[in-house]
Amino acid sequence: MKFLIFAFFGGVHLLSLCSGKAIYKNGICKRTFEEIKEEIASYGDVAKAIINLAVYGKAQNRSYERLALLVDTVGPRLSGSKNLEKAIQIMYQNLQQDGLENVHLEPVRIPHWERGEESAVMLEPRIHKIAILGLGSSIGTPPEGITAEVLVVTSFDELQRRASEARGKIVVYNQPYINYSRTVQYRTQGAVEAAKVGALASLIRSVASFSIYSPHTGIQEYQDGVPKIPTACITVEDAEMMSRMASHGIKIVIQLKMGAKTYPDTDSFNTVAEITGSKYPEQVVLVSGHLDSWDVGQGAMDDGGGAFISWEALSLIKDLGLRPKRTLRLVLWTAEEQGGVGAFQYYQLHKVNISNYSLVMESDAGTFLPTGLQFTGSEKARAIMEEVMSLLKPLNITQVLSHGEGTDINFWIQAGVPGASLLDDLYKYFFFHHSHGDTMTVMDPKQMNVAAAVWAVVSYVVADMEEMLPRS
């Protein structure tokens, strides 16, 4: 998962509140907001039926059990790996067996990076094996490794102030955790900034809100014109230990070995399934999560849960015999962890029909107990979404907050399509994110039931309303 905040740009295509079809800004609205509120309120019984089936009925725990079967048997699903391709084929068969429509795989080209064997050992002032996880796209070290003295810094500003000390050393970042979106810059940019001042390698304190000696991996980015150096994450505990040593003037020497390699891009797929719309089948409400993960843990939380509640949303709607006016499309993205690679190629292929997308939804921030919906769109669309969320009063989940963005749907949102993401209790999320701890043990079936109910109600009602969501 990757958290990025984008400014919202008004799209060229503008929708009125008055037609199932896209029109332009001179269209005249014939319905009042009160009439739209009445329409949404009429879905109260349908919303209760979805909630009852997901949370209390025969479908309870189904998304959890489906997810466990996949991740227990397939394991982590790194971009370019055999595990990912196996998972895609399994999901293709699962969606067909579930009776969903237009199940197909859309070809994409994705990165293929492997970490190989890796180790780090502190040689001075004592022998200590350091737990590391190489960062995605990092180069490897020479076979004999890199042995060098350490320079510990707590920020990019400190690195610049001490640039003269960095040449020929391994830079260790001990940046404090503020929040994910602010702190992750050290993971993504740490190697580049260290290389600019002549460092041989960089080790980054894991971007985690809590640690039990667990390194957390993730993508990092090189920069044209800047030497590429090996880079990995280390535990919070080791970063703090070396920072304490350095504050006392103690010399620290580390031997770093990384067998990481980047291979040519490889073939893969986005996985797609639908419930075809009854009245406006060319119009789409897109529900999504990403099927790939990092190569540690099981990828259960990031983003197995999001992918499987998105599948569950369509299953619940199908099981109740519901068919919305516009098409509900499930997309399980590939190579999200490498920067939304599969999603970008989907956007390039389908953006010609952008005026037919009413809402794009992505769950990629865990499936703990939901607290509401994050939404990006026009004020009129937000007012409609607030009414839709009021249907979830039986679950006491009615909030509509800002920032509906997600790595895989941002391409659409920047072009003006309304976007939504699931907001849940993130307290534990960054304990396990991108680490060996991301396993089914983190998941709670009851919380997944509630998340699936929220996802299904929102997607169905928006897909079945007479009008598409209005744009700016």
Side-chain angles (χ1 to χ4, degrees):
M1 181 196 68
K2 188 175 181 181
F3 282 77
L4 296 174
I5 301 302
F6 286 85
F8 177 73
F9 297 95
V12 174
H13 298 281
L14 303 172
L15 308 178
S16 80
L17 293 174
C18 327
S19 169
K21 297 181 180 179
I23 65 171
Y24 293 89
K25 64 182 179 182
N26 292 327
I28 299 172
C29 187
K30 297 177 183 177
R31 297 180 71 203
T32 67
F33 184 66
E34 286 303 314
E35 290 172 320
I36 293 167
K37 285 177 65 175
E38 289 179 12
E39 180 190 15
I40 294 170
S42 72
Y43 288 99
D45 289 342
V46 171
K48 288 176 183 177
I50 292 172
I51 291 167
N52 286 336
L53 179 59
V55 180
Y56 311 109
K58 291 182 178 179
Q60 64 178 310
N61 301 347
R62 181 169 62 185
S63 59
Y64 174 92
E65 290 165 1
R66 286 170 164 175
L67 175 62
L69 183 60
L70 180 83
V71 302
D72 286 345
T73 55
V74 174
R77 304 165 301 282
L78 183 65
S79 174
S81 70
K82 292 181 180 179
N83 278 15
L84 175 58
E85 297 316 304
K86 182 178 180 181
I88 289 170
Q89 294 302 324
I90 290 172
M91 289 306 301
Y92 175 70
Q93 295 170 6
N94 286 343
L95 297 173
Q96 287 181 314
Q97 291 169 2
D98 195 33
L100 297 177
E101 299 161 344
N102 195 24
V103 177
H104 65 281
L105 302 177
E106 298 192 2
V108 292
R109 295 283 291 175
I110 62 172
H112 180 193
W113 172 87
E114 296 181 6
R115 72 175 60 255
E117 295 294 323
E118 55 187 17
S119 66
V121 179
M122 184 173 73
L123 304 177
E124 295 183 37
R126 63 181 174 90
I127 301 295
H128 169 61
K129 185 177 180 181
I130 296 172
I132 66 167
L133 283 177
L135 294 177
S137 80
S138 176
I139 65 168
T141 64
E144 68 276 12
I146 293 171
T147 301
E149 188 177 344
V150 163
L151 172 66
V152 182
V153 297
T154 58
S155 67
F156 290 140
D157 287 342
E158 182 181 357
L159 179 64
Q160 290 303 312
R161 291 195 304 271
R162 303 179 65 187
S164 62
E165 302 174 54
R167 183 164 298 279
K169 292 182 181 177
I170 296 173
V171 169
V172 170
Y173 292 95
N174 182 38
Q175 77 285 349
Y177 181 86
I178 300 170
N179 56 48
Y180 185 78
S181 59
R182 287 184 62 180
T183 311
V184 75
Q185 64 180 319
Y186 286 91
R187 190 192 76 205
T188 57
Q189 302 170 32
V192 165
E193 295 305 315
K196 286 179 180 177
V197 293
L200 300 179
S202 62
L203 298 174
I204 291 92
R205 169 176 164 158
S206 289
V207 185
S209 55
F210 177 77
S211 177
I212 306 179
Y213 202 70
S214 53
H216 296 239
T217 189
I219 198 69
Q220 67 89 37
E221 300 167 358
Y222 289 123
Q223 185 176 311
D224 290 344
V226 178
K228 295 180 179 182
I229 61 174
T231 184
C233 270
I234 59 174
T235 66
V236 171
E237 291 87 343
D238 279 338
E240 291 185 340
M241 176 188 70
M242 286 187 276
S243 186
R244 291 191 300 272
M245 288 178 173
S247 71
H248 292 292
I250 297 171
K251 180 181 178 181
I252 305 166
V253 176
I254 286 178
Q255 181 186 63
L256 176 67
K257 292 183 178 181
M258 294 174 60
K261 291 183 180 179
T262 297
Y263 297 91
D265 287 357
T266 189
D267 293 325
S268 189
F269 304 93
N270 292 319
T271 308
V272 182
E274 294 178 342
I275 296 175
T276 307
S278 62
K279 187 173 182 180
Y280 308 115
E282 75 283 358
Q283 295 175 11
V284 175
V285 169
L286 187 150
V287 185
S288 70
H290 66 87
L291 195 55
D292 67 293
S293 71
W294 283 103
D295 56 336
V296 291
Q298 293 179 299
M301 181 190 75
D302 184 16
D303 183 35
F308 275 66
I309 68 159
S310 296
W311 173 17
E312 183 68 11
L314 270 68
S315 285
L316 292 166
I317 291 162
K318 176 188 64 67
D319 289 351
L320 288 167
L322 300 171
R323 184 175 293 276
K325 294 181 179 72
R326 54 189 58 83
T327 295
L328 262 177
R329 180 176 297 161
L330 166 69
V331 183
L332 305 179
W333 311 109
T334 194
E336 184 276 345
E337 297 292 2
Q338 283 62 41
V341 176
F344 176 70
Q345 291 173 64
Y346 177 91
Y347 174 72
Q348 292 297 317
L349 181 64
H350 293 276
K351 66 181 179 180
V352 65
N353 297 315
I354 195 168
S355 62
N356 281 328
Y357 281 71
S358 181
L359 178 67
V360 289
M361 301 168 61
E362 178 176 15
S363 175
D364 188 18
T367 47
F368 300 111
L369 188 65
T371 56
L373 194 75
Q374 291 178 277
F375 179 76
T376 297
S378 70
E379 287 306 309
K380 288 182 179 179
R382 176 175 295 277
I384 291 170
M385 294 304 291
E386 287 173 351
E387 295 301 316
V388 172
M389 288 299 290
S390 72
L391 298 169
L392 290 155
K393 284 180 182 176
L395 294 174
N396 195 30
I397 302 168
T398 59
Q399 291 187 93
V400 179
L401 291 90
S402 59
H403 301 311
E405 294 85 354
T407 298
D408 294 313
I409 60 173
N410 281 334
F411 310 107
W412 299 91
I413 292 173
Q414 290 180 76
V417 179
S421 55
L422 187 68
L423 177 65
D424 62 17
D425 180 2
L426 286 174
Y427 173 70
K428 294 191 298 181
Y429 188 83
F430 293 107
F431 292 10
F432 306 107
H433 181 247
H434 294 184
S435 78
H436 288 289
D438 182 355
T439 68
M440 281 304 299
T441 301
V442 178
M443 311 303 287
D444 183 319
K446 291 183 172 60
Q447 293 181 356
M448 285 189 72
N449 294 340
V450 175
V454 172
W455 220 223
V457 169
V458 171
S459 60
Y460 175 76
V461 173
V462 174
D464 196 57
M465 291 175 61
E466 185 59 33
E467 302 85 23
M468 292 174 66
L469 291 177
R471 304 186 193 177
S472 298

